Amino acid sequence: VGIGVGGAAIFLLSALEGRCYTMEEVSKAFASRDLTVMGTIPQLINFETYSDEGMFAIVDPESPYLEYYERLRSNIVRSGETKAPKVVAITSCGSEEGKTITTYNLAIAAARAGKRTLIIEADLRSPSQVEALGLRINPASLLDPLRHYDPTRNNMRLVPGVENLYVISTPGPQTQAIAIVESSELRTLIETARARFDFIVVDTPSLSRCNDTLAIEPLTDGLILVGRPGFTQTALVTEQAN
């Protein structure tokens, strides 16, 4: 009886929350809102932590995840009607859905494919993750965050151990993030990067958290929405898709 009641309670909570608990449910939630499913990635080891195995699952050229991210990159490139998207923003509806993990691993896959690739950390509500890539956070970015994205400051840094991959870290978390997101420096940076790089991936905050991503989207060629079983909520997908 206890098992039966427990099962019923879990089913009821699932129905009330409207969460997707399998990859198929996530894909169905996206497809039902006319969102094209660009690819699926198997559950990553240590997903909860920003470790080499979780955050940067494909730093190792022999990683079994590389083919999945390469397929995702290829699908994105082929999605353009007239030309391949060059600048894509990565976001999610809610928190902990894997947008930052997707940003980094997608960029690594592009770099592994011989593309000169740039990661722009534009989630100014969260701290930078570049230390996990063997880079130190630039103290100057914290002292003058508004001008951190000024392209004349040469803030693009080569990622150790990954040829063709560069990153611009975020000066976050910032209380006045939207002022930086809407600054002319960030707009000029992306325009300049278009001429210097083959592929640019922009990590942005989740859509339910703030409107920063909506301000960044017009500067890009497309928005990639990431979902994760157990975390993606159909109500949020519906709200943001509309």
Side-chain angles (χ1 to χ4, degrees):
V1 174
I3 295 176
V5 172
I10 292 173
F11 176 79
L12 178 59
L13 288 174
S14 174
L16 291 175
E17 292 179 353
R19 290 183 184 272
C20 301
Y21 284 91
T22 66
M23 189 68 73
E24 291 73 19
E25 290 178 349
V26 174
S27 298
K28 184 177 179 181
F30 284 4
S32 65
R33 276 75 181 180
D34 294 327
L35 300 175
T36 302
V37 178
M38 305 300 295
T40 58
I41 309 297
Q43 179 74 23
L44 295 175
I45 304 170
N46 292 338
F47 197 107
E48 302 300 334
T49 62
Y50 292 126
S51 67
D52 288 343
E53 292 178 311
M55 180 70 167
F56 313 114
I58 61 174
V59 167
D60 181 0
E62 303 300 323
S63 169
Y65 299 104
L66 179 58
E67 65 173 292
Y68 295 98
Y69 283 102
E70 170 53 33
R71 188 178 304 168
L72 172 61
R73 183 198 68 83
S74 178
N75 288 339
I76 292 172
V77 169
R78 293 187 293 106
S79 66
E81 294 183 0
T82 56
K83 62 180 181 178
K86 194 170 190 178
V87 183
V88 295
I90 310 293
T91 189
S92 59
C93 290
S95 60
E96 299 184 65
E97 294 191 69
K99 66 175 185 63
T100 303
I101 289 175
T102 301
T103 296
Y104 272 83
N105 286 313
L106 175 61
I108 293 171
R112 294 287 187 208
K115 307 299 180 183
R116 185 175 169 86
T117 306
L118 174 67
I119 298 171
I120 300 177
E121 289 189 333
D123 183 353
L124 288 111
R125 315 281 175 162
S126 304
S128 174
Q129 303 298 332
V130 296
E131 290 182 327
L133 279 177
L135 294 171
R136 292 186 178 182
I137 297 175
N138 184 0
S141 67
L142 306 178
L143 296 175
D144 194 5
L146 183 59
R147 294 178 176 82
H148 170 67
Y149 294 108
D150 188 338
T152 63
R153 295 198 170 195
N154 194 27
N155 289 330
M156 301 176 185
R157 304 164 70 187
L158 180 64
V159 175
V162 185
E163 189 177 357
N164 300 316
L165 182 61
Y166 295 77
V167 62
I168 297 179
S169 63
T170 173
Q174 296 291 323
T175 55
Q176 299 296 324
I178 192 63
I180 302 174
V181 167
E182 295 180 342
S183 68
S184 59
E185 283 84 359
L186 180 58
R187 182 176 63 254
T188 302
L189 170 67
I190 294 178
E191 292 174 352
T192 302
R194 281 183 181 274
R196 297 181 56 185
F197 291 88
D198 301 315
F199 195 58
I200 303 161
V201 191
V202 187
D203 182 36
T204 66
S206 60
L207 294 171
S208 62
R209 189 176 186 183
C210 59
N211 288 334
D212 295 6
T213 300
L214 301 180
I216 294 172
E217 182 184 12
L219 307 177
T220 71
D221 300 325
L223 187 65
I224 305 297
L225 188 64
V226 177
R228 178 188 175 193
F231 290 82
T232 297
Q233 299 182 39
T234 55
L236 287 180
V237 174
T238 301
E239 178 184 347
Q240 300 302 336
N242 294 334

